[in-house]
Amino acid sequence: MAGHKLYAPKGIGALYVRGGAKGLDGDGDFRLQRIMHGGGQELGLRAGTENVGLAVGLGTACRMLCQDQQESMTEQMRQASLIRSLHVQLQAKFIGQIHLNGPELPASPINGAWPRLPNTLSIGFRGLKAQEILGKVQDVVSASAGAACHSSNIPKISSVLAAMQVPEDAALGTIRFTVGRYTTEDEINRAAEAVADAANELFKQSV
């Protein structure tokens, strides 16, 4: 879990390892392999002086998140509403085809859980390159091409989208939008307008 995903400081995270998971040794104990050697910090798995300030920040953010479960759910539903609005607007404004990566986002959790992240929209503008669209809207919209763990500037399909079996023409045009606690409806409307205009311009040039 990356701390900045829940408004903790950047540079801190937590890893949960389920008890009883089988490791490479097959004896029932999951044994992580260290990637940094030296001191014995983090149970000998990650050497280096621990940043107490960042750790406290992550703990505080988690505690604040858990203090009011109802407020947290209300905020999740608000963000889900913004994401659905962005998706609907882009579908209506873009003259080409849009591919939704993953399941549809409902108005509220199903059996207590969301089928996808309620604050994230991953869609592919079929036949276009995501980087070209983002290049035209960088002064208005901050979004990412591909998947969260795909950082290459070279146009290629991210391994995550490939594993999701997203069609190639949609994967290359995939943009990931994320909203947060401070995102407004007006910002969603302006983002939809800017992205659709840019995508339409590129689409007309490609046909």
Side-chain angles (χ1 to χ4, degrees):
M1 176 183 68
H4 67 272
K5 296 293 186 180
L6 57 146
Y7 299 98
K10 291 183 179 180
I12 186 70
L15 174 66
Y16 172 77
V17 180
R18 180 171 60 86
K22 290 187 177 181
L24 295 177
D25 53 15
D27 63 1
D29 293 325
F30 189 87
R31 296 185 178 169
L32 297 175
Q33 301 298 313
R34 68 177 66 187
I35 59 173
M36 296 185 68
H37 298 266
Q41 292 90 349
E42 301 295 337
L43 302 179
L45 291 173
R46 201 283 190 190
T49 303
E50 296 164 328
N51 191 317
V52 177
L54 293 186
V56 171
L58 175 59
T60 300
C62 291
R63 184 172 64 251
M64 293 175 66
L65 186 64
C66 295
Q67 281 177 342
D68 191 339
Q69 295 289 336
Q70 183 57 49
E71 191 278 334
S72 177
M73 180 55 64
T74 299
E75 176 57 25
Q76 288 182 33
M77 293 178 68
R78 186 190 75 87
Q79 293 180 20
S81 176
L82 293 177
I83 285 298
R84 288 197 310 277
S85 174
L86 179 59
H87 184 204
V88 169
Q89 289 189 60
L90 288 173
Q91 281 187 311
K93 295 175 184 294
F94 180 49
I95 58 179
Q97 287 185 314
I98 284 181
H99 181 275
L100 175 64
N101 302 324
E104 292 281 350
L105 182 64
S108 59
I110 300 174
N111 297 325
W114 296 97
R116 62 181 299 143
L117 289 176
N119 72 327
T120 304
L121 175 66
S122 175
I123 55 175
F125 293 83
R126 306 195 77 148
L128 300 182
K129 300 293 189 295
Q131 295 287 9
E132 294 181 2
I133 299 174
L134 293 176
K136 288 182 172 295
V137 300
Q138 59 185 347
D139 294 334
V140 182
V141 179
S142 179
S144 302
C149 53
H150 178 232
S151 60
S152 174
N153 290 323
I154 302 174
K156 64 179 181 179
I157 300 175
S158 89
S159 58
V160 174
L161 296 179
M164 292 171 63
Q165 298 183 337
V166 176
E168 181 176 355
D169 65 333
L172 291 174
T174 286
I175 297 179
R176 178 171 49 88
F177 301 93
T178 305
V179 300
R181 183 174 293 272
Y182 306 109
T183 306
T184 66
E185 186 175 351
D186 179 63
E187 288 173 329
I188 290 297
N189 295 337
R190 286 191 285 123
E193 190 74 29
V195 172
D197 286 348
N200 285 334
E201 181 182 343
L202 291 169
F203 184 81
K204 291 176 182 177
Q205 294 173 0
S206 67
V207 296

